[in-house]
Amino acid sequence: MVDKVSDTHYNLVSDLYKLKKDFAFKREELQALYLENKGLNKKIDALEKENHSFKQQIKQLEKEAEEMLLYP
């Protein structure tokens, strides 16, 4: 009976150690994904600003082209 309890205790401790190890690994993965996501969001913001700037340039160039056509 004592051996059975001892084996069960050992198995529980072993399982707990494995779970802690898996948890630590998943936590590191999550932190890496968070940092990657943060970097990608910064890139998205920069590209959206650049896109807005390009749209403004296109509108300005279209306006200038129309004005050039009005005054040959």
Side-chain angles (χ1 to χ4, degrees):
M1 176 85 175
V2 174
D3 288 340
K4 199 173 193 180
V5 171
S6 180
D7 288 344
T8 303
H9 177 72
Y10 174 79
N11 287 337
L12 288 173
V13 170
S14 178
D15 289 346
L16 182 62
Y17 175 76
K18 289 176 188 175
L19 287 172
K20 284 183 176 182
K21 187 177 176 182
D22 290 345
F23 178 74
F25 179 73
K26 292 297 180 186
R27 187 174 181 185
E28 286 180 22
E29 277 185 328
L30 185 59
Q31 287 174 339
L33 289 171
Y34 172 79
L35 292 175
E36 181 181 1
N37 185 49
K38 190 174 178 181
L40 290 173
N41 281 334
K42 285 182 181 180
K43 285 182 182 179
I44 288 170
D45 289 343
L47 290 171
E48 285 175 345
K49 287 178 184 176
E50 185 178 26
N51 187 37
H52 180 71
S53 175
F54 286 149
K55 285 181 179 181
Q56 286 181 328
Q57 288 178 10
I58 289 169
K59 284 182 183 178
Q60 182 63 32
L61 291 170
E62 287 173 342
K63 183 179 176 183
E64 289 175 10
E66 282 183 27
E67 290 174 358
M68 291 174 82
L69 290 174
L70 291 175
Y71 303 104

